[in-house]
Short mmCIF file of all heavy atoms in Angstrom, two decimals:
data_model
loop_
_atom_site.label_atom_id
_atom_site.label_comp_id
_atom_site.label_asym_id
_atom_site.label_seq_id
_atom_site.Cartn_x
_atom_site.Cartn_y
_atom_site.Cartn_z
N MET A 687 -42.72 0.90 57.08
CA MET A 687 -42.14 2.04 56.42
C MET A 687 -40.71 2.21 56.94
O MET A 687 -40.45 2.08 58.14
CB MET A 687 -42.95 3.28 56.73
CG MET A 687 -42.44 4.54 56.05
SD MET A 687 -43.55 5.94 56.24
CE MET A 687 -44.90 5.42 55.16
N GLU A 688 -39.80 2.49 56.03
CA GLU A 688 -38.39 2.66 56.45
C GLU A 688 -38.21 3.98 57.20
O GLU A 688 -38.84 4.98 56.88
CB GLU A 688 -37.48 2.68 55.22
CG GLU A 688 -37.36 1.36 54.56
CD GLU A 688 -36.34 1.36 53.42
OE1 GLU A 688 -35.44 2.22 53.43
OE2 GLU A 688 -36.44 0.48 52.55
N PRO A 689 -37.33 3.95 58.23
CA PRO A 689 -37.11 5.17 58.98
C PRO A 689 -36.31 6.18 58.22
O PRO A 689 -35.49 5.85 57.35
CB PRO A 689 -36.37 4.71 60.23
CG PRO A 689 -35.73 3.42 59.82
CD PRO A 689 -36.60 2.83 58.77
N LEU A 690 -36.50 7.44 58.58
CA LEU A 690 -35.71 8.53 58.00
C LEU A 690 -34.55 8.81 58.92
O LEU A 690 -34.73 9.03 60.13
CB LEU A 690 -36.59 9.77 57.92
CG LEU A 690 -35.88 11.11 57.59
CD1 LEU A 690 -35.38 11.08 56.16
CD2 LEU A 690 -36.80 12.28 57.83
N GLY A 691 -33.34 8.78 58.40
CA GLY A 691 -32.14 9.14 59.17
C GLY A 691 -31.94 10.62 59.09
O GLY A 691 -31.88 11.19 58.01
N LEU A 692 -31.89 11.28 60.25
CA LEU A 692 -31.76 12.72 60.28
C LEU A 692 -30.48 13.11 61.06
O LEU A 692 -30.42 12.95 62.26
CB LEU A 692 -33.00 13.32 60.99
CG LEU A 692 -33.00 14.83 61.20
CD1 LEU A 692 -32.91 15.59 59.90
CD2 LEU A 692 -34.25 15.23 61.97
N LEU A 693 -29.49 13.55 60.31
CA LEU A 693 -28.28 14.08 60.91
C LEU A 693 -28.52 15.55 61.09
O LEU A 693 -28.47 16.36 60.16
CB LEU A 693 -27.07 13.85 60.00
CG LEU A 693 -25.73 14.37 60.47
CD1 LEU A 693 -25.39 13.80 61.83
CD2 LEU A 693 -24.65 14.03 59.49
N ALA A 694 -28.88 15.90 62.34
CA ALA A 694 -29.43 17.22 62.61
C ALA A 694 -28.32 18.28 62.78
O ALA A 694 -27.31 18.06 63.42
CB ALA A 694 -30.27 17.18 63.87
N GLY A 695 -28.57 19.43 62.16
CA GLY A 695 -27.72 20.58 62.34
C GLY A 695 -28.39 21.51 63.32
O GLY A 695 -29.37 21.18 63.99
N SER A 696 -27.90 22.73 63.39
CA SER A 696 -28.48 23.69 64.30
C SER A 696 -29.72 24.39 63.68
O SER A 696 -29.98 24.20 62.49
CB SER A 696 -27.43 24.75 64.67
OG SER A 696 -27.03 25.46 63.51
N GLY A 697 -30.38 25.14 64.51
CA GLY A 697 -31.53 25.86 63.99
C GLY A 697 -32.82 25.09 64.05
O GLY A 697 -32.92 24.01 64.61
N ARG A 698 -33.86 25.64 63.45
CA ARG A 698 -35.19 25.08 63.51
C ARG A 698 -35.47 23.99 62.45
O ARG A 698 -36.38 23.19 62.61
CB ARG A 698 -36.20 26.21 63.36
CG ARG A 698 -37.62 25.83 63.40
CD ARG A 698 -38.38 26.56 64.49
NE ARG A 698 -39.81 26.21 64.40
CZ ARG A 698 -40.37 25.20 65.07
NH1 ARG A 698 -39.62 24.46 65.82
NH2 ARG A 698 -41.61 24.96 64.93
N PHE A 699 -34.68 23.96 61.40
CA PHE A 699 -34.97 23.05 60.29
C PHE A 699 -35.02 21.57 60.72
O PHE A 699 -35.98 20.87 60.27
CB PHE A 699 -33.94 23.24 59.17
CG PHE A 699 -34.26 22.46 57.93
CD1 PHE A 699 -35.32 22.84 57.13
CD2 PHE A 699 -33.47 21.43 57.55
CE1 PHE A 699 -35.63 22.14 55.98
CE2 PHE A 699 -33.78 20.71 56.38
CZ PHE A 699 -34.87 21.05 55.61
N PRO A 700 -34.14 21.03 61.51
CA PRO A 700 -34.28 19.65 61.92
C PRO A 700 -35.57 19.34 62.65
O PRO A 700 -36.17 18.30 62.44
CB PRO A 700 -33.09 19.41 62.83
CG PRO A 700 -32.09 20.46 62.45
CD PRO A 700 -32.91 21.62 62.01
N LEU A 701 -36.05 20.30 63.46
CA LEU A 701 -37.34 20.13 64.15
C LEU A 701 -38.48 20.05 63.14
O LEU A 701 -39.37 19.21 63.26
CB LEU A 701 -37.55 21.26 65.13
CG LEU A 701 -36.66 21.30 66.33
CD1 LEU A 701 -36.77 22.64 67.06
CD2 LEU A 701 -36.95 20.17 67.27
N LEU A 702 -38.45 20.92 62.15
CA LEU A 702 -39.50 20.92 61.14
C LEU A 702 -39.51 19.62 60.36
O LEU A 702 -40.57 19.10 60.04
CB LEU A 702 -39.34 22.12 60.22
CG LEU A 702 -39.48 23.51 60.85
CD1 LEU A 702 -39.10 24.59 59.86
CD2 LEU A 702 -40.91 23.68 61.38
N VAL A 703 -38.34 19.14 59.99
CA VAL A 703 -38.22 17.89 59.23
C VAL A 703 -38.78 16.72 60.05
O VAL A 703 -39.59 15.92 59.58
CB VAL A 703 -36.77 17.61 58.81
CG1 VAL A 703 -36.62 16.19 58.23
CG2 VAL A 703 -36.32 18.62 57.78
N ALA A 704 -38.39 16.64 61.32
CA ALA A 704 -38.86 15.56 62.19
C ALA A 704 -40.34 15.67 62.41
O ALA A 704 -41.05 14.63 62.40
CB ALA A 704 -38.12 15.62 63.52
N GLU A 705 -40.87 16.87 62.60
CA GLU A 705 -42.30 17.03 62.79
C GLU A 705 -43.08 16.55 61.57
O GLU A 705 -44.11 15.86 61.71
CB GLU A 705 -42.66 18.48 63.08
CG GLU A 705 -42.26 18.94 64.48
CD GLU A 705 -42.40 20.45 64.65
OE1 GLU A 705 -42.60 21.20 63.66
OE2 GLU A 705 -42.23 20.89 65.81
N GLU A 706 -42.66 16.92 60.40
CA GLU A 706 -43.37 16.53 59.19
C GLU A 706 -43.25 15.04 58.93
O GLU A 706 -44.23 14.38 58.52
CB GLU A 706 -42.83 17.32 57.98
CG GLU A 706 -43.54 17.02 56.69
CD GLU A 706 -45.02 17.38 56.69
OE1 GLU A 706 -45.48 18.18 57.53
OE2 GLU A 706 -45.76 16.86 55.80
N ALA A 707 -42.09 14.47 59.19
CA ALA A 707 -41.93 13.01 59.01
C ALA A 707 -42.88 12.26 59.91
O ALA A 707 -43.58 11.36 59.48
CB ALA A 707 -40.50 12.61 59.25
N ARG A 708 -42.95 12.66 61.16
CA ARG A 708 -43.83 11.98 62.11
C ARG A 708 -45.31 12.20 61.73
O ARG A 708 -46.12 11.28 61.87
CB ARG A 708 -43.56 12.46 63.52
CG ARG A 708 -42.17 11.93 63.97
CD ARG A 708 -41.94 11.93 65.37
NE ARG A 708 -43.02 11.30 66.13
CZ ARG A 708 -42.92 10.89 67.34
NH1 ARG A 708 -41.74 10.98 67.93
NH2 ARG A 708 -43.92 10.38 67.98
N ARG A 709 -45.64 13.38 61.25
CA ARG A 709 -47.00 13.64 60.79
C ARG A 709 -47.40 12.67 59.69
O ARG A 709 -48.55 12.22 59.61
CB ARG A 709 -47.14 15.09 60.31
CG ARG A 709 -48.57 15.48 60.02
CD ARG A 709 -48.64 16.91 59.47
NE ARG A 709 -48.18 17.01 58.09
CZ ARG A 709 -48.79 16.55 57.00
NH1 ARG A 709 -49.95 15.96 57.11
NH2 ARG A 709 -48.30 16.69 55.80
N ARG A 710 -46.43 12.33 58.83
CA ARG A 710 -46.67 11.41 57.72
C ARG A 710 -46.51 9.96 58.13
O ARG A 710 -46.64 9.05 57.29
CB ARG A 710 -45.73 11.73 56.57
CG ARG A 710 -45.98 13.07 55.95
CD ARG A 710 -45.01 13.33 54.86
NE ARG A 710 -45.22 14.67 54.30
CZ ARG A 710 -45.09 14.96 53.00
NH1 ARG A 710 -44.74 14.03 52.14
NH2 ARG A 710 -45.33 16.18 52.62
N GLY A 711 -46.23 9.68 59.38
CA GLY A 711 -46.06 8.32 59.86
C GLY A 711 -44.73 7.71 59.57
O GLY A 711 -44.55 6.49 59.65
N VAL A 712 -43.73 8.51 59.25
CA VAL A 712 -42.38 8.02 58.96
C VAL A 712 -41.59 8.06 60.27
O VAL A 712 -41.42 9.15 60.87
CB VAL A 712 -41.70 8.87 57.88
CG1 VAL A 712 -40.28 8.43 57.64
CG2 VAL A 712 -42.50 8.90 56.60
N PRO A 713 -41.05 6.94 60.69
CA PRO A 713 -40.22 6.93 61.89
C PRO A 713 -38.91 7.76 61.64
O PRO A 713 -38.39 7.76 60.53
CB PRO A 713 -39.88 5.47 62.14
CG PRO A 713 -40.59 4.69 61.12
CD PRO A 713 -41.20 5.61 60.10
N VAL A 714 -38.47 8.44 62.68
CA VAL A 714 -37.30 9.30 62.56
C VAL A 714 -36.19 8.75 63.49
O VAL A 714 -36.42 8.49 64.64
CB VAL A 714 -37.62 10.74 62.95
CG1 VAL A 714 -36.36 11.59 62.89
CG2 VAL A 714 -38.68 11.31 62.05
N VAL A 715 -35.01 8.60 62.90
CA VAL A 715 -33.81 8.25 63.67
C VAL A 715 -32.91 9.48 63.60
O VAL A 715 -32.34 9.77 62.56
CB VAL A 715 -33.09 7.02 63.09
CG1 VAL A 715 -31.82 6.73 63.89
CG2 VAL A 715 -34.02 5.79 63.08
N ALA A 716 -32.85 10.22 64.73
CA ALA A 716 -32.12 11.47 64.73
C ALA A 716 -30.78 11.35 65.41
O ALA A 716 -30.67 10.69 66.48
CB ALA A 716 -32.96 12.54 65.42
N LEU A 717 -29.79 11.96 64.85
CA LEU A 717 -28.45 12.05 65.40
C LEU A 717 -28.14 13.54 65.64
O LEU A 717 -28.45 14.36 64.82
CB LEU A 717 -27.40 11.49 64.43
CG LEU A 717 -27.59 10.08 63.97
CD1 LEU A 717 -26.47 9.72 62.98
CD2 LEU A 717 -27.56 9.12 65.11
N GLY A 718 -27.54 13.82 66.81
CA GLY A 718 -27.21 15.20 67.11
C GLY A 718 -25.88 15.35 67.81
O GLY A 718 -25.30 14.40 68.29
N ILE A 719 -25.43 16.56 67.86
CA ILE A 719 -24.17 16.91 68.50
C ILE A 719 -24.47 17.83 69.69
O ILE A 719 -25.14 18.85 69.53
CB ILE A 719 -23.22 17.62 67.51
CG1 ILE A 719 -22.92 16.72 66.34
CG2 ILE A 719 -21.91 18.04 68.21
CD1 ILE A 719 -22.16 17.39 65.20
N HIS A 720 -24.00 17.45 70.88
CA HIS A 720 -24.19 18.30 72.08
C HIS A 720 -23.70 19.72 71.82
O HIS A 720 -22.64 19.90 71.22
CB HIS A 720 -23.47 17.73 73.27
CG HIS A 720 -24.13 16.56 73.87
ND1 HIS A 720 -25.31 16.62 74.57
CD2 HIS A 720 -23.83 15.23 73.88
CE1 HIS A 720 -25.68 15.42 74.97
NE2 HIS A 720 -24.76 14.56 74.56
N GLY A 721 -24.47 20.67 72.21
CA GLY A 721 -24.11 22.09 72.08
C GLY A 721 -24.44 22.67 70.73
O GLY A 721 -24.27 23.87 70.53
N VAL A 722 -24.84 21.83 69.80
CA VAL A 722 -25.20 22.30 68.44
C VAL A 722 -26.71 22.20 68.23
O VAL A 722 -27.33 23.12 67.72
CB VAL A 722 -24.46 21.51 67.35
CG1 VAL A 722 -24.96 21.88 65.96
CG2 VAL A 722 -22.95 21.71 67.46
N ASN A 723 -27.25 21.09 68.62
CA ASN A 723 -28.67 20.82 68.34
C ASN A 723 -29.58 21.25 69.47
O ASN A 723 -29.21 21.27 70.63
CB ASN A 723 -28.89 19.34 68.11
CG ASN A 723 -28.06 18.83 66.97
OD1 ASN A 723 -27.09 18.14 67.21
ND2 ASN A 723 -28.41 19.17 65.75
N ASP A 724 -30.80 21.60 69.08
CA ASP A 724 -31.83 21.95 70.08
C ASP A 724 -32.26 20.67 70.76
O ASP A 724 -32.68 19.72 70.07
CB ASP A 724 -33.00 22.59 69.32
CG ASP A 724 -34.13 23.08 70.24
OD1 ASP A 724 -34.19 22.60 71.40
OD2 ASP A 724 -34.90 23.93 69.78
N PRO A 725 -32.14 20.57 72.06
CA PRO A 725 -32.55 19.35 72.78
C PRO A 725 -34.00 19.00 72.58
O PRO A 725 -34.41 17.87 72.78
CB PRO A 725 -32.29 19.68 74.26
CG PRO A 725 -31.29 20.80 74.23
CD PRO A 725 -31.55 21.55 72.98
N ALA A 726 -34.84 19.93 72.13
CA ALA A 726 -36.27 19.65 71.89
C ALA A 726 -36.43 18.64 70.77
O ALA A 726 -37.48 17.97 70.68
CB ALA A 726 -37.00 20.95 71.51
N LEU A 727 -35.40 18.49 69.93
CA LEU A 727 -35.47 17.51 68.85
C LEU A 727 -35.67 16.12 69.39
O LEU A 727 -36.33 15.28 68.74
CB LEU A 727 -34.23 17.58 67.98
CG LEU A 727 -34.13 16.60 66.83
CD1 LEU A 727 -35.29 16.85 65.81
CD2 LEU A 727 -32.78 16.76 66.09
N GLU A 728 -35.16 15.81 70.55
CA GLU A 728 -35.27 14.50 71.13
C GLU A 728 -36.73 14.08 71.31
O GLU A 728 -37.14 12.98 70.97
CB GLU A 728 -34.51 14.44 72.47
CG GLU A 728 -34.35 13.03 72.98
CD GLU A 728 -33.28 12.96 74.04
OE1 GLU A 728 -32.85 14.01 74.61
OE2 GLU A 728 -32.84 11.82 74.30
N ALA A 729 -37.57 15.02 71.79
CA ALA A 729 -38.98 14.74 71.96
C ALA A 729 -39.73 14.64 70.64
O ALA A 729 -40.58 13.77 70.43
CB ALA A 729 -39.61 15.82 72.85
N VAL A 730 -39.39 15.51 69.72
CA VAL A 730 -40.07 15.55 68.42
C VAL A 730 -39.73 14.31 67.59
O VAL A 730 -40.61 13.71 66.98
CB VAL A 730 -39.70 16.83 67.62
CG1 VAL A 730 -40.27 16.79 66.25
CG2 VAL A 730 -40.16 18.07 68.37
N ALA A 731 -38.47 13.88 67.64
CA ALA A 731 -38.04 12.75 66.86
C ALA A 731 -38.33 11.41 67.54
O ALA A 731 -38.16 10.36 66.92
CB ALA A 731 -36.53 12.88 66.53
N GLY A 732 -38.72 11.45 68.78
CA GLY A 732 -38.94 10.21 69.52
C GLY A 732 -37.63 9.57 69.96
O GLY A 732 -37.56 8.39 70.16
N GLY A 733 -36.63 10.38 70.14
CA GLY A 733 -35.33 9.92 70.59
C GLY A 733 -34.21 10.62 69.78
O GLY A 733 -34.49 11.16 68.73
N LEU A 734 -33.03 10.62 70.34
CA LEU A 734 -31.93 11.30 69.73
C LEU A 734 -30.66 10.62 70.19
O LEU A 734 -30.46 10.36 71.38
CB LEU A 734 -31.93 12.76 70.12
CG LEU A 734 -30.88 13.67 69.50
CD1 LEU A 734 -31.03 13.74 67.97
CD2 LEU A 734 -31.04 15.11 70.05
N THR A 735 -29.82 10.23 69.25
CA THR A 735 -28.53 9.64 69.58
C THR A 735 -27.49 10.76 69.46
O THR A 735 -27.36 11.36 68.38
CB THR A 735 -28.20 8.46 68.60
OG1 THR A 735 -29.19 7.48 68.72
CG2 THR A 735 -26.82 7.89 68.94
N TRP A 736 -26.81 10.99 70.56
CA TRP A 736 -25.81 12.08 70.57
C TRP A 736 -24.46 11.51 70.18
O TRP A 736 -24.11 10.39 70.52
CB TRP A 736 -25.73 12.70 71.96
CG TRP A 736 -26.96 13.36 72.43
CD1 TRP A 736 -27.92 12.84 73.24
CD2 TRP A 736 -27.41 14.67 72.04
NE1 TRP A 736 -28.92 13.76 73.41
CE2 TRP A 736 -28.65 14.89 72.71
CE3 TRP A 736 -26.87 15.67 71.22
CZ2 TRP A 736 -29.35 16.07 72.56
CZ3 TRP A 736 -27.62 16.86 71.11
CH2 TRP A 736 -28.79 17.06 71.76
N PHE A 737 -23.65 12.29 69.51
CA PHE A 737 -22.30 11.90 69.17
C PHE A 737 -21.45 13.17 69.15
O PHE A 737 -21.93 14.28 69.22
CB PHE A 737 -22.22 11.14 67.88
CG PHE A 737 -22.61 11.95 66.65
CD1 PHE A 737 -21.62 12.53 65.86
CD2 PHE A 737 -23.91 12.10 66.27
CE1 PHE A 737 -21.97 13.26 64.71
CE2 PHE A 737 -24.30 12.84 65.16
CZ PHE A 737 -23.30 13.43 64.39
N LYS A 738 -20.15 12.95 69.06
CA LYS A 738 -19.21 14.06 69.08
C LYS A 738 -18.79 14.40 67.63
O LYS A 738 -18.68 13.50 66.79
CB LYS A 738 -17.97 13.73 69.88
CG LYS A 738 -18.27 13.56 71.36
CD LYS A 738 -17.04 13.18 72.14
CE LYS A 738 -17.38 12.95 73.60
NZ LYS A 738 -16.25 12.50 74.36
N LEU A 739 -18.53 15.67 67.40
CA LEU A 739 -18.08 16.10 66.10
C LEU A 739 -16.81 15.34 65.77
O LEU A 739 -15.90 15.23 66.57
CB LEU A 739 -17.84 17.60 66.13
CG LEU A 739 -17.56 18.28 64.77
CD1 LEU A 739 -18.75 18.09 63.87
CD2 LEU A 739 -17.31 19.76 64.97
N GLY A 740 -16.72 14.83 64.57
CA GLY A 740 -15.54 14.06 64.15
C GLY A 740 -15.78 12.57 64.17
O GLY A 740 -15.03 11.81 63.56
N GLN A 741 -16.75 12.11 64.92
CA GLN A 741 -17.04 10.69 64.98
C GLN A 741 -17.69 10.30 63.66
O GLN A 741 -18.56 11.03 63.15
CB GLN A 741 -17.95 10.32 66.13
CG GLN A 741 -17.34 10.32 67.48
CD GLN A 741 -18.32 9.91 68.55
OE1 GLN A 741 -19.42 10.43 68.61
NE2 GLN A 741 -17.91 8.95 69.36
N ILE A 742 -17.34 9.17 63.16
CA ILE A 742 -17.95 8.69 61.91
C ILE A 742 -18.59 7.32 62.11
O ILE A 742 -19.75 7.14 61.80
CB ILE A 742 -16.90 8.62 60.77
CG1 ILE A 742 -16.38 10.04 60.47
CG2 ILE A 742 -17.49 7.96 59.52
CD1 ILE A 742 -15.28 10.08 59.48
N ASP A 743 -17.86 6.40 62.66
CA ASP A 743 -18.35 5.01 62.78
C ASP A 743 -19.58 4.91 63.67
O ASP A 743 -20.53 4.23 63.33
CB ASP A 743 -17.26 4.08 63.33
CG ASP A 743 -16.16 3.88 62.28
OD1 ASP A 743 -16.40 4.07 61.08
OD2 ASP A 743 -15.02 3.52 62.71
N ASP A 744 -19.54 5.54 64.85
CA ASP A 744 -20.66 5.42 65.78
C ASP A 744 -21.97 5.93 65.20
O ASP A 744 -23.00 5.25 65.32
CB ASP A 744 -20.34 6.10 67.10
CG ASP A 744 -19.28 5.34 67.90
OD1 ASP A 744 -19.03 4.16 67.62
OD2 ASP A 744 -18.69 5.99 68.83
N PRO A 745 -22.01 7.11 64.59
CA PRO A 745 -23.27 7.60 64.04
C PRO A 745 -23.78 6.67 62.88
O PRO A 745 -24.99 6.41 62.83
CB PRO A 745 -22.94 8.96 63.51
CG PRO A 745 -21.74 9.40 64.27
CD PRO A 745 -20.97 8.17 64.55
N ILE A 746 -22.88 6.21 62.04
CA ILE A 746 -23.30 5.33 60.96
C ILE A 746 -23.85 4.03 61.52
O ILE A 746 -24.89 3.52 61.09
CB ILE A 746 -22.16 5.05 59.97
CG1 ILE A 746 -21.84 6.34 59.21
CG2 ILE A 746 -22.48 3.92 59.03
CD1 ILE A 746 -20.59 6.25 58.35
N ARG A 747 -23.20 3.49 62.52
CA ARG A 747 -23.70 2.26 63.16
C ARG A 747 -25.04 2.50 63.81
O ARG A 747 -25.95 1.64 63.72
CB ARG A 747 -22.67 1.82 64.23
CG ARG A 747 -22.95 0.43 64.77
CD ARG A 747 -21.85 -0.07 65.70
NE ARG A 747 -20.54 -0.01 65.07
CZ ARG A 747 -19.55 0.80 65.46
NH1 ARG A 747 -19.70 1.62 66.50
NH2 ARG A 747 -18.38 0.80 64.86
N ALA A 748 -25.24 3.62 64.44
CA ALA A 748 -26.53 3.94 65.11
C ALA A 748 -27.66 3.98 64.07
O ALA A 748 -28.77 3.46 64.31
CB ALA A 748 -26.46 5.27 65.86
N LEU A 749 -27.38 4.57 62.92
CA LEU A 749 -28.41 4.63 61.87
C LEU A 749 -28.69 3.20 61.35
O LEU A 749 -29.88 2.82 61.23
CB LEU A 749 -27.92 5.49 60.68
CG LEU A 749 -27.84 6.96 60.99
CD1 LEU A 749 -27.15 7.69 59.82
CD2 LEU A 749 -29.20 7.57 61.26
N ARG A 750 -27.67 2.44 61.06
CA ARG A 750 -27.89 1.06 60.54
C ARG A 750 -28.63 0.19 61.55
O ARG A 750 -29.50 -0.60 61.18
CB ARG A 750 -26.55 0.41 60.17
CG ARG A 750 -25.96 0.95 58.93
CD ARG A 750 -24.72 0.16 58.57
NE ARG A 750 -24.09 0.75 57.40
CZ ARG A 750 -22.83 0.64 57.09
NH1 ARG A 750 -22.02 -0.02 57.91
NH2 ARG A 750 -22.33 1.17 56.01
N ASP A 751 -28.23 0.30 62.85
CA ASP A 751 -28.88 -0.52 63.87
C ASP A 751 -30.35 -0.23 63.98
O ASP A 751 -31.11 -1.11 64.40
CB ASP A 751 -28.21 -0.27 65.23
CG ASP A 751 -26.81 -0.88 65.34
OD1 ASP A 751 -26.43 -1.65 64.44
OD2 ASP A 751 -26.11 -0.53 66.31
N LYS A 752 -30.79 0.93 63.56
CA LYS A 752 -32.20 1.31 63.69
C LYS A 752 -32.90 1.20 62.31
O LYS A 752 -34.01 1.72 62.16
CB LYS A 752 -32.34 2.68 64.29
CG LYS A 752 -31.88 2.66 65.73
CD LYS A 752 -32.10 3.92 66.44
CE LYS A 752 -31.61 3.81 67.87
NZ LYS A 752 -31.68 5.04 68.58
N GLY A 753 -32.24 0.56 61.34
CA GLY A 753 -32.91 0.27 60.06
C GLY A 753 -32.81 1.32 58.96
O GLY A 753 -33.46 1.17 57.94
N VAL A 754 -31.98 2.33 59.17
CA VAL A 754 -31.83 3.35 58.12
C VAL A 754 -30.87 2.78 57.07
O VAL A 754 -29.80 2.24 57.39
CB VAL A 754 -31.25 4.66 58.71
CG1 VAL A 754 -31.01 5.67 57.60
CG2 VAL A 754 -32.23 5.23 59.75
N ARG A 755 -31.26 2.94 55.82
CA ARG A 755 -30.41 2.47 54.72
C ARG A 755 -30.00 3.66 53.85
O ARG A 755 -30.64 4.64 53.76
CB ARG A 755 -31.12 1.48 53.82
CG ARG A 755 -31.45 0.20 54.58
CD ARG A 755 -31.90 -0.89 53.70
NE ARG A 755 -33.23 -0.56 53.11
CZ ARG A 755 -33.59 -1.05 51.95
NH1 ARG A 755 -32.85 -1.89 51.28
NH2 ARG A 755 -34.77 -0.77 51.47
#
């Protein structure tokens, strides 16, 4: 199954999306921004790649490297 790329924003919604994806057996590749995202997302998503606001290439590369299309 292809992984779900999750560019997480603030609030509870990213956690709910990651929880439901994992419940359905869909791997989650989560990207977050320090100070914006709930650190609990890292455990729910099975990992979290942090990046800085304004970065474009690194987050896209992280998604591709983990099989997100």
Side-chain angles (χ1 to χ4, degrees):
M687 182 171 290
E688 290 187 23
L690 169 69
L692 176 60
L693 178 56
S696 63
R698 181 123 174 90
F699 188 68
L701 292 167
L702 295 173
V703 170
E705 287 170 351
E706 183 62 19
R708 291 199 48 163
R709 188 184 73 74
R710 293 179 183 217
V712 177
V714 177
V715 178
L717 303 178
I719 300 172
H720 284 289
V722 173
N723 302 105
D724 184 340
L727 180 60
E728 192 161 16
V730 174
L734 184 60
T735 300
W736 296 100
F737 65 98
K738 295 179 182 175
L739 190 59
Q741 285 183 309
I742 296 174
D743 292 337
D744 290 342
I746 291 173
R747 190 174 306 113
L749 291 171
R750 285 186 184 154
D751 288 349
K752 295 185 179 174
V754 176
R755 294 191 295 153

